[in-house]
Amino acid sequence: MGVMGVRPYRLILKDGEECIIRNAVPEDADELLIYLDAAAGETDFLTFGSGELNISVKEEKAFIKNFQNSENQLFLIAVANNRIVGSLHCSAGKNKRVRHTGEMGVIVRKQYWGNGIAAAMIQQLFSWARASGVVKKINLEVREDNSRAISLYERLGFFQEGTVSRAFQVDGVFYSALLYGFIPN
């Protein structure tokens, strides 16, 4: 798929199950919405909770198509046992001055935490960014108390660039967001 995506990547999980990381396609929209809502109910570390997405299948299909038709955006899913168990998206700006800077988000279903799925998706993102030559900086935000994610990002080479106070509010409690960056040379 050239700069618009990645080749499918096969990952063997700890239990021997196969997980395929591939580009999301519009036909994934129904299952993606179900997966996202389920994942949102498993953790408070996301920017949305269960039932908060309010996106139609038609809107999700258009969202995915937008990624497919862009040289500086990537949308990956991880599929195990014929179910979506993880996703990663990276969106860069449309204007010339910011088209090189991508904002990344990654989610893995709790049952699959600790299997290397997020790391594998992020490494696919890095390879894609290097190959495309368009995205030269990848940013992300992570809640200050999400130690598992912070450890992963730092292990993969992300560096902390700042903090945004009171970025998240969950059940009346405020949390700061740590800002991380990565330069895929």
Side-chain angles (χ1 to χ4, degrees):
M1 291 188 77
V3 297
M4 293 189 297
V6 300
R7 291 177 187 220
Y9 177 80
R10 182 175 180 250
L11 178 68
I12 302 300
L13 306 180
K14 290 178 182 175
D15 66 358
E17 186 176 0
E18 181 180 74
C19 179
I20 301 295
I21 296 170
R22 63 171 176 80
N23 299 297
V25 294
E27 294 76 22
D28 294 319
D30 286 310
E31 190 179 345
L32 261 166
L33 292 175
I34 293 166
Y35 145 81
L36 288 168
D37 190 59
E42 295 173 343
T43 180
D44 285 335
F45 291 132
L46 302 179
T47 59
F48 58 94
S50 184
E52 290 184 349
L53 274 181
N54 298 318
I55 298 171
S56 71
V57 173
K58 182 179 178 180
E59 290 169 322
E60 185 68 6
K61 283 183 179 183
F63 182 74
I64 296 166
K65 283 181 187 175
N66 184 52
F67 279 82
Q68 287 182 312
N69 297 324
S70 174
E71 65 180 354
N72 66 347
Q73 298 186 98
L74 183 68
F75 193 163
L76 300 177
I77 60 171
V79 179
N81 201 20
N82 295 313
R83 291 182 25 236
I84 298 173
V85 299
S87 63
L88 175 146
H89 70 277
C90 182
S91 298
K94 293 191 185 310
N95 298 329
K96 185 176 179 180
R97 294 179 181 183
V98 293
R99 67 187 311 273
H100 69 283
T101 304
E103 297 290 329
M104 184 203 90
V106 61
I107 304 170
V108 175
R109 291 291 308 267
K110 192 170 189 171
Q111 167 186 352
Y112 288 88
W113 289 2
N115 275 284
I117 294 171
M121 287 192 295
I122 293 169
Q123 289 166 339
Q124 289 298 301
L125 168 65
F126 292 169
S127 295
W128 167 83
R130 289 179 186 113
S132 77
V134 178
V135 175
K136 301 187 184 299
K137 172 83 185 305
I138 299 168
N139 297 317
L140 63 85
E141 288 187 22
V142 59
R143 209 169 88 177
E144 64 185 331
D145 59 334
N146 191 346
S147 57
R148 289 176 62 103
I150 291 167
S151 176
L152 170 66
Y153 300 144
E154 290 178 352
R155 189 173 78 245
L156 291 175
F158 280 90
F159 48 92
Q160 187 177 343
E161 296 188 285
T163 304
V164 177
S165 65
R166 298 170 68 104
F168 295 89
Q169 183 182 8
V170 179
D171 298 328
V173 178
F174 290 100
Y175 299 89
S176 294
L178 305 180
L179 307 178
Y180 276 83
F182 180 84
I183 299 172
N185 294 326

